[in-house]
Amino acid sequence: MPRRTATMLASTLMLIALLCAGVFIDVPYSEMSPGPTVNTLGDHDGEPVLQIDGRKTYAASGHLNMTTVRVTSADYKMNLVEAVYGWLAHDNKVVPHDTLYPDGKTEEQSTQENAEEFSQSQESAKVAALKELDVPVRSWVIVSTVVKDSPAEGKLHAGDVIKAVDGTTVKEPADVAELVTKHKPGQNVVFTIVPAKEQAAAEKENKTATKTEDITITTTTSDDGGDKRAIVGISAGTDHTFPFTIDIKLADVGGPSAGLMFALGIYDKLTPGSLTGGNFVAGTGTIDDDGKVGPIGGIEMKTVGARSKGAQYFLTPADNCAAAARETPKGLTLVKVKTIDDALGALKDIRAGDTADLPKCTTK
């Protein structure tokens, strides 16, 4: 056999051996890729994404698409060949496994966390949209979760309304931790609450619950690795009562990143005319009750997914702008937003065709 042929054969066999070995070598990485994008003004799986009852709504045109990222599961074992392919693929991104599933988080835990964040994002989207429309929304601080085997277990319950701590009125969720940590571990703290059942009964009858209870709990010491402080083992959140029904129907989606687009969709449905002027606008971003837009993960995947479906403009959280601008899909304009007001202002310019002065994302 000629030397050249032998060398080529040996090289080919070596390459095949390396590829075969790569298939069996697991690497600690996961993959992100563009996920589905859904028009909040339209239908999904045969029913409207936004369903509003008890308030006049208006027909809306164009697109206000929320965007998603598809990720490999927590127990997925990526091999070396797949990792290399992912690194080379333009539309995919290979990241360390711990980036998506920190501290050994399981698939079940991640799904539960994403579902909770998605639910909270819907509530905040409703509040932000209604505030923009000057529609009053009643809000109060509640027990969001109770940690198993904590001092609060059996004494406080998810959904209890926290009226006061040690006699001091609670106005924001952060007030609860601030008041509890004024104590030393081992000291008692008194929660004044409206039990969840009482609150639910009052809401059903459109009344205000007035019956309260004082619950005394002995604090314990935190063990989260931070400064030692007094805790009772709960997390506080906010609950709301809306003057009419707003349902968001979108299954198999998690996380908080659709908040901005849900808020805009609700606003559009409750106002005459069209926010988009018939244009295809997509976007992403968390939103809080006051309409502030926050950053999200996987921005590069979301812009690719949006453009592939026809988006012309992409509402981008200000803190994600630099990363998004580094790899902007051709034909997509990235619009920087910090609040829902910014987004509404940008949409006004877009539907008027006055886009020269839109606040665009840059790499700086």
Side-chain angles (χ1 to χ4, degrees), residues 252-302:
D252 301 323
V253 176
S257 66
L260 171 62
M261 302 313 293
F262 285 145
L264 293 173
I266 293 167
Y267 185 100
D268 202 356
K269 291 274 192 178
L270 293 173
T271 53
S274 169
L275 278 184
T276 68
N279 289 287
F280 195 138
V281 180
T284 189
T286 65
I287 199 164
D288 66 15
D289 292 357
D290 296 320
K292 182 179 179 181
V293 177
I296 51 78
I299 186 67
E300 304 95 332
M301 307 296 102
K302 293 185 175 186

Side-chain angles (χ1 to χ4, degrees), residues 103-140:
D103 303 322
K105 188 181 296 181
T106 66
E107 182 74 14
E108 183 179 358
Q109 290 171 327
S110 180
T111 299
Q112 177 63 31
E113 182 179 295
N114 285 334
E116 291 172 357
E117 291 177 339
F118 185 64
S119 177
Q120 182 57 53
S121 77
Q122 294 181 49
E123 292 298 293
S124 293
K126 297 172 189 177
V127 175
L130 296 191
K131 281 187 175 181
E132 283 293 317
L133 295 168
D134 294 323
V135 176
V137 177
R138 293 173 54 207
S139 304
W140 48 84

Side-chain angles (χ1 to χ4, degrees), residues 284-358:
T284 189
T286 65
I287 199 164
D288 66 15
D289 292 357
D290 296 320
K292 182 179 179 181
V293 177
I296 51 78
I299 186 67
E300 304 95 332
M301 307 296 102
K302 293 185 175 186
T303 56
V304 169
R307 183 57 186 152
S308 70
K309 295 299 182 181
Q312 303 156 286
Y313 303 93
F314 195 92
L315 302 178
T316 312
D319 290 342
N320 289 124
C321 259
R326 282 194 287 270
E327 296 185 48
T328 307
K330 185 178 180 180
L332 186 66
T333 299
L334 304 181
V335 182
K336 180 169 67 174
V337 296
K338 294 182 179 180
T339 65
I340 189 173
D341 284 333
D342 289 347
L344 290 170
L347 289 169
K348 180 180 179 181
D349 291 339
I350 289 170
R351 66 176 177 268
D354 185 17
T355 60
D357 295 325
L358 282 173

Side-chain angles (χ1 to χ4, degrees), residues 139-143 160-162 170-173 176 236-239:
S139 304
W140 48 84
V141 178
I142 63 166
V143 176
D160 288 345
V161 178
I162 305 173
V170 168
K171 297 180 180 179
E172 302 287 342
V176 178
T238 307
D239 200 4

Side-chain angles (χ1 to χ4, degrees), residues 40-351:
T40 62
L41 303 176
D43 292 353
H44 182 67
D45 289 342
E47 60 179 346
V49 175
L50 299 176
Q51 301 181 15
I52 300 173
D53 186 38
R55 182 90 169 190
K56 184 177 181 179
T57 58
Y58 301 85
S61 63
H63 288 71
L64 285 171
N65 277 45
M66 54 80 69
T67 51
T68 64
V69 174
R70 184 178 286 111
V71 299
T72 50
S73 64
D75 56 0
Y76 179 75
K77 302 297 185 183
M78 178 176 287
N79 63 51
L80 183 59
V81 173
E82 291 171 321
V84 172
Y85 178 82
W87 279 317
L88 296 175
H90 176 69
D91 292 346
N92 295 357
K93 186 175 183 180
V94 174
V95 298
H97 185 273
D98 289 346
T99 301
L100 300 179
Y101 304 100
D103 303 322
K105 188 181 296 181
T106 66
E107 182 74 14
E108 183 179 358
Q109 290 171 327
S110 180
T111 299
Q112 177 63 31
E113 182 179 295
N114 285 334
E116 291 172 357
E117 291 177 339
F118 185 64
S119 177
Q120 182 57 53
S121 77
Q122 294 181 49
E123 292 298 293
S124 293
K126 297 172 189 177
V127 175
L130 296 191
K131 281 187 175 181
E132 283 293 317
L133 295 168
D134 294 323
V135 176
V137 177
R138 293 173 54 207
S139 304
W140 48 84
V141 178
I142 63 166
V143 176
S144 180
T145 58
V146 179
V147 177
K148 184 176 176 58
D149 297 326
S150 69
E153 186 179 23
K155 294 188 174 184
L156 297 178
H157 304 85
D160 288 345
V161 178
I162 305 173
K163 306 292 287 186
V165 176
D166 292 329
T168 300
T169 300
V170 168
K171 297 180 180 179
E172 302 287 342
D175 295 343
V176 178
E178 182 180 342
L179 291 166
V180 170
T181 53
K182 286 184 177 181
H183 291 270
K184 294 180 179 180
Q187 292 182 333
N188 289 341
V189 59
V190 179
F191 283 76
T192 302
I193 67 164
V194 175
K197 290 183 179 180
E198 297 286 340
Q199 179 64 26
E203 286 184 47
K204 190 174 182 179
E205 298 179 7
N206 199 26
K207 295 180 179 179
T208 300
T210 57
K211 181 181 177 181
T212 62
E213 297 179 8
D214 286 340
I215 306 295
T216 300
I217 302 175
T218 302
T219 62
T220 189
T221 305
S222 62
D223 60 355
D224 56 8
D227 294 336
K228 299 300 181 182
R229 64 193 186 283
I231 61 170
V232 295
I234 67 166
S235 61
T238 307
D239 200 4
H240 312 278
T241 294
F242 302 102
F244 49 90
T245 302
I246 305 174
D247 285 330
I248 299 175
K249 302 290 187 179
L250 199 58
D252 301 323
V253 176
S257 66
L260 171 62
M261 302 313 293
F262 285 145
L264 293 173
I266 293 167
Y267 185 100
D268 202 356
K269 291 274 192 178
L270 293 173
T271 53
S274 169
L275 278 184
T276 68
N279 289 287
F280 195 138
V281 180
T284 189
T286 65
I287 199 164
D288 66 15
D289 292 357
D290 296 320
K292 182 179 179 181
V293 177
I296 51 78
I299 186 67
E300 304 95 332
M301 307 296 102
K302 293 185 175 186
T303 56
V304 169
R307 183 57 186 152
S308 70
K309 295 299 182 181
Q312 303 156 286
Y313 303 93
F314 195 92
L315 302 178
T316 312
D319 290 342
N320 289 124
C321 259
R326 282 194 287 270
E327 296 185 48
T328 307
K330 185 178 180 180
L332 186 66
T333 299
L334 304 181
V335 182
K336 180 169 67 174
V337 296
K338 294 182 179 180
T339 65
I340 189 173
D341 284 333
D342 289 347
L344 290 170
L347 289 169
K348 180 180 179 181
D349 291 339
I350 289 170
R351 66 176 177 268

